[in-house]
Amino acid sequence: MFALHRLNTHNLIREATAAGDLIAYRLDRGGVGNPLPSISPTLIRPIQVVDPDGKVVAATADLQGRPPMARFLPKAPRRSTTGVVCDHVFGPDRCEIVVVQQVYRNGTWTVYSAVPTVPFYVYPSLVALLIGGTVVSTTAVVYGVHRVVRHSLQPVDAIRAQLDEIHKTTLARRVPVLVEKDEIRHLAESVNYTLDRLESAFEELRRFTADASHELRSPITAIRTQIECAMLAPEDTDLNTLGGDVLRSLDRLQAIAADLRTLTRLDECAPGERERLDLSELVAAQLNARRPTRNIVRRLESGVTVTGDRARLDQLIASLLDNAERRAESRLTVSVRREAPVGGDARFRAGAAVLEVLNDGAVGGRDHSGTGVQGFARLDSARGGSAGGAGLGLPIARQIAEGHGGALVITDSPRGACFLLLLPPASPG
């Protein structure tokens, strides 16, 4: 509208200037009559001719007997100028664009020509067209955006609906993943990854709870049985024997509670003070401090250094040695060595400090492939009063290893179990 307004105004000024030029030409060639003729039968523009004395000597029919339509004149050396005049000779509430031109003929003659001003809306039909077009285009944009947004959010609705179903049913289900590689696909993949972690954690917690309840039930049942037998036959009960049996069961309960507390602290607390440690020296100190019940073969390579918390690494090594020694029949092989980079694991790009504990006895846990580090993974024959620990030693060791950026696994061996601890080596210097 602004551009059309300027264009229309410019055209009207040109038209008024052309009409004034025509009258000025006639005046310069011999004069003009009164009234002034119209430019064309269909186009009538107000025009006045004023002599050097300021008297209107000629005008179009609509301005007969009227004073000059404007009071301003062009400034020298210009011979024409333009201005807007309102409420003068044109009538009330009416404004005209007046073009003033000067002609020299025995003095200065002035020619006034006028055209009506253009309203800001130019034409009513243009306003109607713009309003209608704005309404139509806005409606189309709103409708299009609504369709696009609704179509884009359909996969999100599908993900939400699937999550609602997973909440009602089972964690084994997964949300749909789109073929297109866009943000919604990445969202679905992240949701499925989170569900995988949740399902794994839930299954581990379920197994851990089941095993814990079983381990707790055994000493509790033993205590209850011993006390009930003593109450039924007090005359046949030896107090010292009963007290010893109950204390062994209580020691078992206390060991389980202590290990559970240790696991909780490892989950919640940051690692302790770190220092450079020689892994072979730590293993040798643990071997020297215990009374071996099996033949122990040492293969300790010197100079295998790691960075870690001495107390927690001692606890880890002691747990590995205890588990391996309980499962060994006659021999235990303990090795410490430095290995080249392990696979594509980023933790061991600079190599790995390896502690390997190999026994020649039965394999602990449910299988060979790493599940031996789950909670309460003990030999069935060891589920008794004095056969073993609480079954949490290896999970605690695994937590310590992972807290030091390493890993603890059980690998296959021709006979027995091979406990393998991998830790990042200490940086040089």
Side-chain angles (χ1 to χ4, degrees):
M1 288 181 67
F2 176 76
L4 289 175
H5 180 273
R6 291 195 60 181
L7 178 63
N8 205 343
T9 300
H10 180 69
N11 289 335
L12 287 175
I13 293 175
R14 289 179 60 187
E15 182 183 305
T17 302
D21 285 341
L22 178 60
I23 299 301
Y25 175 79
R26 291 176 181 176
L27 179 63
D28 188 52
R29 290 294 182 269
V32 293
N34 188 32
L36 295 173
S38 59
I39 299 175
S40 67
T42 58
L43 182 60
I44 300 175
R45 294 300 185 205
I47 302 175
Q48 289 178 328
V49 178
V50 180
D51 63 12
D53 297 328
K55 180 181 178 181
V56 178
V57 296
T60 52
D62 56 334
L63 293 180
Q64 290 295 314
R66 302 285 183 90
M69 67 175 69
R71 301 293 183 184
F72 58 89
L73 294 172
K75 295 180 180 181
R78 298 181 60 186
R79 299 182 59 186
S80 65
T81 188
T82 303
V84 177
V85 177
C86 298
D87 300 333
H88 189 43
V89 299
F90 306 108
D93 299 328
R94 181 179 173 185
C95 293
E96 297 275 332
I97 302 173
V98 177
V99 177
V100 183
Q101 297 171 285
Q102 289 184 326
V103 180
Y104 293 93
R105 183 186 176 213
N106 299 325
T108 302
W109 295 68
T110 304
V111 178
Y112 295 98
S113 56
V115 290
T117 57
V118 181
F120 75 94
Y121 52 82
V122 186
Y123 300 110
S125 57
L126 176 62
V127 176
L129 177 63
L130 289 177
I131 293 176
T134 301
V135 172
V136 172
S137 61
T138 303
T139 304
V141 169
V142 171
Y143 177 73
V145 170
H146 176 72
R147 283 182 58 88
V148 169
V149 172
R150 185 174 62 181
H151 177 73
S152 300
L153 292 181
Q154 283 180 352
V156 179
D157 289 338
I159 293 174
R160 179 193 55 77
Q162 188 67 17
L163 286 175
D164 291 341
E165 289 298 320
I166 292 173
H167 175 72
K168 297 177 182 177
T169 55
T170 175
L171 288 175
R173 302 178 65 172
R174 295 295 179 265
V175 301
V177 178
L178 298 179
V179 177
E180 296 82 2
K181 293 184 178 181
D182 54 11
E183 289 77 6
I184 297 180
R185 176 188 176 94
H186 298 329
L187 172 64
E189 291 174 345
S190 297
V191 169
N192 285 338
Y193 175 74
T194 303
L195 290 173
D196 290 339
R197 295 289 302 273
L198 287 174
E199 184 181 15
S200 176
F202 180 78
E203 288 299 320
E204 184 175 349
L205 178 62
R206 185 184 61 80
R207 291 193 300 267
F208 186 86
T209 303
D211 288 343
S213 64
H214 180 82
E215 293 294 327
L216 291 171
R217 186 170 61 248
S218 297
I220 292 174
T221 302
I223 293 173
R224 183 182 183 88
T225 301
Q226 291 159 356
I227 293 177
E228 288 178 347
C229 291
M231 293 176 65
L232 289 174
E235 65 281 355
D236 298 331
T237 302
D238 181 71
L239 186 59
N240 291 331
T241 302
L242 176 62
D245 294 340
V246 171
L247 284 176
R248 281 193 294 272
S249 297
L250 290 176
D251 289 340
R252 172 88 174 117
L253 287 174
Q254 188 174 6
I256 294 174
D259 287 345
L260 288 174
R261 183 175 178 83
T262 301
L263 277 176
T264 302
R265 287 179 175 176
L266 289 174
D267 284 335
E268 295 178 352
C269 299
E273 183 178 355
R274 298 297 181 94
E275 56 181 312
R276 289 176 62 91
L277 300 169
D278 189 310
L279 186 59
S280 295
E281 291 180 1
L282 294 178
V283 173
Q286 287 290 330
L287 291 175
N288 294 333
R290 64 179 57 236
R291 294 180 179 179
T293 59
R294 307 289 189 272
N295 180 30
I296 298 180
V297 179
R298 304 188 184 191
R299 298 171 182 172
L300 307 180
E301 180 181 321
S302 61
V304 181
T305 57
V306 296
T307 303
D309 183 348
R310 179 184 295 271
R312 290 188 178 179
L313 288 178
D314 282 339
Q315 184 180 5
L316 187 158
I317 296 170
S319 177
L320 291 183
L321 294 175
D322 288 341
N323 275 274
E325 190 172 1
R326 282 199 300 268
R327 292 170 173 82
E329 289 186 0
S330 60
R331 189 176 65 176
L332 194 67
T333 302
V334 182
S335 303
V336 174
R337 62 183 181 273
R338 174 78 176 266
E339 286 193 352
V342 180
D345 198 323
R347 296 175 295 178
F348 308 115
R349 287 176 180 173
V354 180
L355 167 61
E356 184 183 64
V357 182
L358 178 64
N359 66 64
D360 61 350
V363 178
R366 293 176 176 82
D367 57 47
H368 294 258
S369 57
T371 57
V373 297
Q374 300 294 336
F376 302 100
R378 297 168 59 230
L379 288 173
D380 290 338
S381 60
R383 292 186 180 274
S386 60
L392 289 173
L394 290 180
I396 292 173
R398 181 189 62 180
Q399 290 282 76
I400 296 174
E402 292 177 353
H404 284 74
L408 176 62
V409 295
I410 297 180
T411 62
D412 292 329
S413 62
R415 183 182 180 188
C418 177
F419 298 89
L420 199 63
L421 170 66
L422 294 91
L423 295 173
S427 57

